[in-house]
Amino acid sequence: MTASHSDSLVVLFGATAGAYGAKLGSDERELILLVWQVVDLPSKKVGALHKSLVKADNLDLSDQCREVTGLTAEGLGKVEPLDQVLQQFSQLVSSDLKVLGRSSYTLCSDGQSLIRQVLHPEASKKNLLLSDCFYSFYDLRKEFHTCYPNSAAVKDQTIKTMAEYLGLGTDETEEDFGVWQVKTMVAIIFSMLSESCNHIFTEPETVKYKYETGPCSKSETVDSETVIRARGLPWQSSDQDIARFFKGLNIAKGGVALCLNAQGRRNGEALVRFVNSEQRDLALERHKHHMGSRYIEVYKATGEEFLKIAGGTSNEVAQFLSKENQVIIRMRGLPFTATQEDVLGFLGPECPVTGGKEGLLFVKYPDGRPTGDAFVLFSCEEYAQNALKKHKEILGKRYIELFRSTAAEVQQVLNRYMSTPLIPTLPTPIIPVIPPPYTIATGSIRDCVRLRGLPYTAGIDDILEFMGDATGDIKPHGVHMVLNQQGRPSGDAFIQMKSADKAFMVAQKCHKKMMKDRYVEVFQCSGEEMNFVLMGGTLNRSGLSPPPCLSPPTYAAFQTAAVIPAEAAALYQPQALLPATRSPQASAAAPPTVTYYPAQTAQLYMNYTAYYPSPPVSPTTVGYIAAPPGAVAAAATAAHSPILPQPGALVRMQGLPYNTGMKEILSFFQGYQLHADSILVLYNFSGQPSGEALVTFPSLDLAKKAVAEKNGQLLGGRYVQLYLV
C-alpha cells in the first residue's frame, strides 16, 4: 500500500523532563528523549530502531518523568543537546531510507503534542531551524480512528488502547521506555495496512511555516471555539511575536488582534484566532508559558470579542491593507500639521514606503482633525527595521514613537477614532448627581505633575516609591490614578504638589526614571490641564491639545478657567461614578444631598471614551476602588447601605460572565465565610456589567487562600481571575 505524500513513514516518539501523555508539552519542559524507526509502506519493511537521549538546559526532572522513563539528571548530563540530536536524526533517517531504496518520508507521531507542543516551541526558543519534515506529519490516533471508526474517540486514544483494540500484546516491562511505544506503533500501522483494512495515508497534518497577516471584516463569521485571549504580553509585542509564542499551532490569516486601552495604547492583551477548535484547545495548554521573562495567561474568548477588536468596515482601511505580506509600522506623536511628504522625508530613502504616499494611512477624528497617529507599510523586514531605528527621533518639535503593528490594530485604532459616537446635548431626563466629598484642583498654577507610561500593574504604592522623598510634598488627597472605562489603570496618573516649585523639581528629577521595566515620563502641569486630560485631551511637552469630546467652537475657550458651566461640570464629574475611600465615619454620615441639574444648562459634545480618576489618596491613605453608577444611585436612596462592607482583605474578580450576580459569586466562594454585603459587582460607564467584582474577605489569610485555590477556575463557563487589591 502506498501513500500519496510519500512511500515511507518515520514513526517518532518523544518525552520531556516534565508531564507525560495527554499533558506532554503543557508544562513547557524540554525534550529529553527521541525514539524513531523508518517504515517502508509498500514492502512493509522497517529500518533500524534508534533511541537518542537529549541534553536539556534544565536537568531538573519531574517525579513523573523519573518514574515513567527511568532516566536521571546525571545520565542526561553526558549526552548531546537538541540541535546535534536533530542533525543525527536527519542523517540516520537518510541512511535507513537509502537501504530501503526510498528517498522521501513523512513523520508519524502519537497525537499532536510532540510535534506542535514540544519540538516547534522549543526550537523557536532556542533559535533552531527545523527541517521541512517537521512541518508535515500523520497523527496516528486520527488515522487509527479513520480506519476503525468504532474505536474510542481520538482524544481518548493512547498507544496502549489502540493496541488493545487490535488485540496486540504490549508488555511495557520488556523494553526500554520509548522503545516499546515505537514497536507498538509500527505494529498498529501494519495492522492498518492489512488487506482487511487497506488503509492509505493521504492527508497529513500541516504546521504553518509563518503567520499570514490580513484584514478582517465585521461581516465575517468567527467561530467562538477558535479564539483565545492572551494576557500579560510585553507592550511592544507584535503579531509575529505572538505567533512565535504559539509556534507549532496554526493561527488563521490575520488572526492576531492586539487590544488597546482607552488612550490607544496596547494594554498587554491580544485576541488570537486559530484555524480550528483543535488548535485552540492546544493553545489553551500554553497557559502561563513564557515570552522572554514574562509568563502569558491564555483563556477562552469569543468570536464576537475578536470581531469587536479586529473587524473593520472602512473602505480606506481595506484598501490600505489590500497589499498583503507587508510589514506594518505604527507612528505615534506626529505633529498635527505633518503632511505625507513630511513623514516620507522623516523615514528617508533607507526605508522606502510601499507605494509611496499610498503606503501611509493617517488616523483622524470624525471631523477630520489629525490624531497624531499614522500607519506605514514596508515591503520587507529590512526596511521596517531601518524605520524602527528612528524611534524617538524628532519631527518638527516632537519626538516620534515607532513600533510594529498589525492589520487588526489598524482596524481597531480607526474604529476607535472614526466610530466614536458624539452626543450633541446632555441627556434630556433630569439626572441625580451626588456631590463628591472632594474636588480635583483647577486653575492655571502649575502645581501638578502628570505621570505617563506607567506599567499597567503599577499601584499607588509603586507611584509613591517612584517619587521617593518628594512624597512629603504631595497635597492631602493629591494622588489620582487615571482609570479607563473598565475601571482599569490607563498608564497615567496625576499628582497635586504643594507648590509649583515642588512640581517643577519632581518633573526634573523623575522624568524618564524607570518603574519596573518601563521608563515613566513626568510633566509639570496645572489643575486646569489635568481636567482637560481627564476629558480626553492630550498633554505633553509640546503643550495641550483640546479633548475630542468638546465641540470645535469651544476650543478658543481653552485659555480660560471656565470652559464648562459649573452645573455641567458637576453633572459629568467622574468622581460621581466612584465612591469615597472607606472610613469609619462614612456609614454614620447623613444621607447625601442629591442635586438635580436640568440638561439644557449646558451644550456639550461629550465623547463616550473619557477617562476617570480614582478616588484621590494621600501617602498615608493608600487604596482605591471603582464602583458602578448603580452603587451611587443606591447611596443616594439608602444611606445606611455602605458601598463596601466592613474592612477586610479585598479581592478583585475578572473575567466573570456578564450575567453573574451575588448568588453565583457566593456559590463560587462557598466555605469562605462570605455574605451578600461582602460582594460588589462592578459596572462600566454605560451601566452595563463589566465582568468584574470586588469581594471583601474577613481576613487577609482567607483572601490569600481563596486566590490560591480558586484563581483560574470556571464560573458559568468562563475562567475567572482573582487578584489581591
Side-chain angles (χ1 to χ4, degrees):
M1 297 297 101
T2 60
S4 61
H5 189 70
S6 62
D7 291 330
S8 302
L9 299 179
V10 175
V11 178
L12 185 67
F13 181 83
T16 70
Y20 167 72
K23 289 293 184 180
L24 183 69
S26 64
D27 53 5
E28 216 176 357
R29 300 301 294 273
E30 295 171 275
L31 190 74
I32 59 169
L33 172 69
L34 275 181
V35 187
W36 69 90
Q37 187 172 28
V38 175
V39 178
D40 182 52
L41 297 177
S43 66
K44 297 184 182 178
K45 293 181 180 180
V46 297
L49 191 147
H50 302 279
K51 178 178 179 178
S52 287
L53 299 179
V54 184
K55 183 179 181 180
D57 294 338
N58 182 3
L59 291 175
D60 182 18
L61 308 185
S62 70
D63 293 339
Q64 184 187 29
C65 174
R66 286 194 295 268
E67 179 182 349
V68 172
T69 66
L71 298 173
T72 63
E74 292 76 15
L76 290 171
K78 303 173 183 177
V79 298
E80 303 294 338
L82 180 60
D83 57 341
Q84 296 185 31
V85 170
L86 292 177
Q87 287 182 4
Q88 294 171 6
F89 168 83
S90 180
Q91 293 168 359
L92 291 171
V93 167
S94 297
S95 177
D96 290 346
L97 286 171
K98 189 175 182 180
V99 171
L100 294 170
R102 302 295 176 187
S103 59
S104 64
Y105 65 93
T106 306
L107 298 178
C108 180
S109 65
D110 172 37
Q112 307 264 317
S113 295
L114 176 62
I115 305 293
R116 295 191 186 276
Q117 300 284 66
V118 177
L119 277 167
H120 277 281
E122 185 171 339
S124 177
K125 288 179 181 178
K126 295 181 177 180
N127 292 319
L128 303 179
L129 186 63
L130 290 177
S131 60
D132 290 347
C133 71
F134 291 101
Y135 288 86
S136 178
F137 68 98
Y138 288 106
D139 180 346
L140 183 59
R141 300 183 190 186
K142 287 187 178 181
E143 298 294 326
F144 185 85
H145 192 268
T146 301
C147 188
Y148 303 101
N150 294 326
S151 61
V154 173
K155 62 182 180 63
D156 298 325
Q157 297 279 19
T158 64
I159 296 174
K160 191 170 184 179
T161 61
M162 289 187 286
E164 289 174 350
Y165 185 86
L166 297 174
L168 301 175
T170 57
D171 189 351
E172 303 174 22
T173 61
E174 289 186 0
E175 305 281 0
D176 289 343
F177 179 80
V179 173
W180 77 264
Q181 282 95 336
V182 170
K183 286 186 174 180
T184 304
M185 290 168 70
V186 171
I188 292 170
I189 290 171
F190 283 156
S191 296
M192 295 166 60
L193 295 174
S194 64
E195 293 183 2
S196 60
C197 295
N198 201 28
H199 183 72
I200 301 176
F201 292 84
T202 57
E203 297 182 7
E205 299 286 315
T206 59
V207 180
K208 286 189 175 184
Y209 282 88
K210 65 177 184 177
Y211 167 66
E212 298 176 278
T213 61
C216 175
S217 171
K218 281 193 181 294
S219 60
E220 193 172 331
T221 301
V222 177
D223 184 358
S224 291
E225 295 301 310
T226 64
V227 182
I228 62 92
R229 180 183 293 272
R231 288 179 174 171
L233 299 165
W235 70 268
Q236 69 272 36
S237 298
S238 68
D239 52 353
Q240 298 295 340
D241 295 324
I242 295 168
R244 186 174 183 181
F245 175 81
F246 289 109
K247 187 68 174 177
L249 306 181
N250 293 341
I251 298 174
K253 184 176 180 179
V256 177
L258 299 166
C259 302
L260 307 180
N261 63 14
Q263 291 178 296
R265 298 192 179 201
R266 296 174 186 175
N267 65 1
E269 297 187 7
L271 292 167
V272 185
R273 177 189 180 190
F274 293 89
V275 295
N276 55 40
S277 59
E278 181 183 36
Q279 304 286 304
R280 191 283 306 266
D281 292 342
L282 289 171
L284 291 172
E285 293 293 328
R286 300 198 188 183
H287 179 58
K288 293 198 173 179
H289 282 204
H290 288 76
M291 181 183 287
S293 61
R294 302 182 65 164
Y295 71 82
I296 308 301
E297 299 170 281
V298 182
Y299 301 98
K300 291 181 180 179
T302 66
E304 182 181 358
E305 289 174 309
F306 182 84
L307 285 175
K308 185 177 180 181
I309 299 299
T313 57
S314 169
N315 291 331
E316 184 182 13
V317 174
Q319 184 177 358
F320 177 76
L321 297 174
S322 62
K323 301 178 180 65
E324 297 186 1
N325 299 318
Q326 300 289 307
V327 184
I328 305 175
I329 297 296
R330 183 179 178 185
M331 303 180 71
R332 285 183 54 118
L334 291 168
F336 296 140
T337 57
T339 63
Q340 292 177 321
E341 290 77 9
D342 294 333
V343 174
L344 293 174
F346 173 81
L347 295 170
E350 64 273 18
C351 36
V353 176
T354 300
K357 294 181 180 179
E358 293 182 1
L360 295 177
L361 179 65
F362 285 91
V363 183
K364 299 179 180 179
Y365 291 113
D367 59 8
R369 289 181 297 116
T371 64
D373 280 27
F375 292 95
V376 190
L377 295 178
F378 295 99
S379 60
C380 65
E381 185 65 30
E382 179 186 356
Y383 295 159
Q385 287 289 349
N386 290 339
L388 291 172
K389 292 176 183 177
K390 297 180 180 293
H391 180 62
K392 293 290 180 74
E393 288 191 8
I394 302 296
L395 174 59
K397 295 182 179 179
R398 305 186 66 172
Y399 70 81
I400 310 302
E401 296 175 299
L402 293 95
F403 44 89
R404 293 178 178 274
S405 188
T406 67
E409 185 173 32
V410 176
Q411 298 281 19
Q412 190 181 0
V413 172
L414 267 293
N415 289 346
R416 175 176 177 267
Y417 283 113
M418 297 301 295
S419 303
T420 302
L422 299 177
I423 308 176
T425 60
L426 297 179
T428 52
I430 294 177
I431 301 175
V433 175
I434 302 173
Y438 49 81
T439 59
I440 294 182
T442 59
S444 57
I445 299 175
R446 298 173 63 79
D447 58 353
C448 302
V449 289
R450 179 188 183 187
L451 278 60
R452 189 172 72 175
L454 296 167
Y456 296 117
T457 57
I460 293 177
D461 280 319
D462 299 307
I463 293 174
L464 297 178
E465 181 180 351
F466 172 82
M467 294 186 65
D469 296 338
T471 54
D473 298 320
I474 298 175
K475 285 184 179 179
H477 299 291
V479 182
H480 305 268
M481 293 283 288
V482 182
L483 311 178
N484 63 19
Q485 291 184 28
Q486 287 72 44
R488 296 174 181 159
S490 67
D492 279 27
F494 283 96
I495 314 292
Q496 293 173 251
M497 308 301 294
K498 291 181 178 178
S499 69
D501 291 339
K502 300 293 185 184
F504 175 80
M505 293 300 296
V506 170
Q508 292 295 315
K509 179 181 177 182
C510 297
H511 183 57
K512 294 199 174 180
K513 180 180 170 183
M514 298 297 292
M515 180 187 294
K516 299 183 178 180
D517 59 343
R518 300 186 64 174
Y519 73 82
V520 178
E521 298 173 299
V522 183
F523 304 116
Q524 184 182 10
C525 66
S526 66
E528 181 183 9
E529 291 170 327
M530 178 173 71
N531 279 314
F532 287 163
V533 172
L534 294 178
M535 293 176 62
T538 57
L539 174 65
N540 52 41
R541 293 210 161 190
S542 299
L544 178 70
S545 298
C549 57
L550 294 177
S551 61
T554 65
Y555 292 166
F558 273 60
Q559 305 304 319
T560 66
V563 177
I564 306 171
E567 295 86 351
L571 184 60
Y572 276 91
Q573 275 289 343
Q575 298 93 316
L577 303 179
L578 304 162
T581 50
R582 287 175 292 167
S583 64
Q585 294 82 10
S587 59
T593 302
V594 179
T595 307
Y596 293 87
Y597 297 102
Q600 59 269 27
T601 56
Q603 299 292 322
L604 289 182
Y605 289 72
M606 294 304 297
N607 187 318
Y608 282 116
T609 55
Y611 306 119
Y612 312 111
S614 69
V617 299
S618 298
T620 55
T621 60
V622 174
Y624 68 93
I625 58 169
V632 179
T637 56
H640 63 277
S641 299
I643 289 175
L644 272 181
Q646 68 282 354
L650 198 61
V651 171
R652 190 182 194 103
M653 305 179 72
Q654 290 185 340
L656 296 168
Y658 293 119
N659 59 353
T660 301
M662 291 186 182
K663 181 179 178 182
E664 288 79 12
I665 296 175
L666 285 172
S667 177
F668 182 78
F669 287 114
Q670 187 173 3
Y672 287 87
Q673 305 174 25
L674 299 180
H675 48 80
D677 288 343
S678 303
I679 298 166
L680 176 64
V681 179
L682 301 183
Y683 296 78
N684 60 26
F685 188 49
S686 303
Q688 302 298 319
S690 66
E692 300 188 12
L694 295 173
V695 182
T696 303
F697 286 79
S699 68
L700 180 61
D701 289 341
L702 204 58
K704 288 182 177 179
K705 180 183 177 184
V707 171
E709 295 178 350
K710 305 294 286 185
N711 186 40
Q713 291 195 13
L714 286 169
L715 174 57
R718 298 192 66 174
Y719 294 95
V720 177
Q721 292 178 280
L722 304 177
Y723 304 94
L724 277 173
V725 177

